[in-house]
Amino acid sequence: MQFSLPKNTNISIHPIKSFTDNYIWMIKKNKDAVIIDPGDASPVLEILQKENIHLQTILITHKHADHIGGVKELIKAYPNVKICGPKNNFNFVCKEVDNGDLVVIDVLNISFRVIATPGHTLDHIVFADENHLFCGDTIFGCGCGRLFEGTFSQMHTSLNILSKLPRSIKIFCAHEYTKKNIEFALMIEKNNEALIARKKSLIGVDITLPSTLSEELKTNPFLRSKNLAQFKERRIRKDNF
Ligand SMILES: [Zn+2]
């Protein structure tokens, strides 16, 4: 990894469910919060208001509507909220960040390193500290994002970069796809014991995230691809699964 990762203390992280399978992640410290990828404002506003938490910053991983659709309404409710995201033509004021940048969130006294992960979209970025990776639609539990804009090579490279983060890092994906992805992964590696164990461990579990990089390296067929050709073959197979 060419960048150092900041260490953040005294934060807690909570999933806010939206749409059918999206997670909007909330980072909380005392009574202040950072929200990642608010595709929908209403479930976010509900929890902020119920717990009397002030929204300080919104982080955006990429341009898709199910990640940014709630931003404008959140600005109305919290006019001073700061927004950080990739370079794009968003229809709201957004501080553009790029690979290697450090996002500092003053009020919470925390910061995150930005890592560019083109593939799912070309603008896709992720936010990491030593212990947490907010990876948007780049990695899913036992899977990875579809390629809407990037090439197989770009996504493969992005996954390789994330694979070099600390093994213990917790991975906060933006969708709940793990169980379905495990079915696909078992088709690829039916004798993978870690995968079989992961499937068993999730029986009856509603929220399967965060996972860890270590767990993904043992079970995720895309992080386990030996080379670009194998990654490409698996990604195409998954698109038709
Ligand atoms: Zn997306």
Side-chain angles (χ1 to χ4, degrees):
M1 194 70 209
Q2 72 259 51
F3 319 115
S4 64
L5 297 177
K7 192 180 173 76
N8 293 318
T9 52
N10 299 323
I11 58 172
S12 61
I13 298 164
H14 310 265
I16 302 173
K17 288 187 175 195
S18 73
F19 306 118
T20 50
D21 52 34
N22 280 69
Y23 287 124
I24 298 167
W25 294 102
M26 174 170 74
I27 303 167
K28 213 167 78 171
K29 188 169 187 174
N30 304 320
K31 285 287 177 187
D32 293 301
V34 176
I35 292 284
I36 296 150
D37 285 350
D40 188 5
S42 52
V44 177
L45 289 170
E46 195 183 308
I47 189 156
L48 292 175
Q49 282 156 14
K50 195 173 105 194
E51 298 187 21
N52 194 23
I53 301 166
H54 197 82
L55 175 59
Q56 298 291 350
T57 299
I58 295 172
L59 302 178
I60 292 165
T61 63
H62 67 294
K63 66 181 183 182
H64 282 156
D66 63 326
H67 296 252
I68 63 167
V71 171
K72 280 190 150 180
E73 217 177 310
L74 291 173
I75 296 172
K76 270 187 214 155
Y78 297 90
N80 296 320
V81 65
K82 294 193 177 101
I83 302 162
C84 246
K87 192 169 163 44
N88 217 317
N89 293 316
F90 293 120
N91 57 0
F92 45 80
V93 176
C94 178
K95 186 180 181 218
E96 292 176 352
V97 290
D98 204 348
N99 196 42
D101 287 350
L102 192 68
V103 174
V104 178
I105 301 156
D106 290 326
V107 181
L108 283 82
N109 191 24
I110 60 173
S111 54
F112 292 95
R113 187 68 68 186
V114 175
I115 304 169
T117 57
H120 175 69
T121 58
L122 290 176
D123 70 343
H124 205 297
I125 57 173
V126 301
F127 300 90
D129 69 13
E130 262 186 8
N131 300 306
H132 312 92
L133 172 65
F134 297 94
C135 66
D137 288 354
T138 297
I139 297 178
F140 294 127
C142 233
C144 76
R146 263 172 205 268
L147 303 186
F148 284 106
E149 293 182 341
T151 63
F152 291 102
S153 173
Q154 278 175 316
M155 187 59 147
H156 186 241
T157 301
S158 294
L159 294 177
N160 279 339
I161 290 167
L162 299 183
S163 294
K164 293 183 180 69
L165 293 170
R167 296 274 166 121
S168 59
I169 203 166
K170 287 183 182 163
I171 302 187
F172 297 83
C173 319
H175 289 272
E176 181 57 77
Y177 291 155
T178 313
K179 288 181 187 177
K180 189 148 190 254
N181 286 342
I182 288 176
E183 294 310 313
F184 174 76
L186 280 167
M187 242 173 52
I188 305 277
E189 290 188 290
K190 68 175 191 307
N191 298 317
N192 179 335
E193 283 179 20
L195 191 53
I196 295 164
R198 189 171 185 183
K199 180 177 173 170
K200 269 193 197 149
S201 76
L202 294 180
I203 291 171
V205 174
D206 177 30
I207 298 174
T208 68
L209 301 167
S211 64
T212 62
L213 180 59
S214 163
E215 190 173 28
E216 296 303 330
L217 289 171
K218 287 180 199 153
T219 58
N220 188 317
F222 299 102
L223 294 181
R224 292 172 64 73
S225 300
K226 287 192 187 71
N227 50 43
L228 175 59
Q230 192 177 56
F231 171 76
K232 183 175 174 180
E233 186 261 328
R234 290 179 177 184
R235 189 56 260 176
I236 292 170
R237 244 177 111 179
K238 178 67 171 58
D239 286 342
N240 299 307
F241 178 64

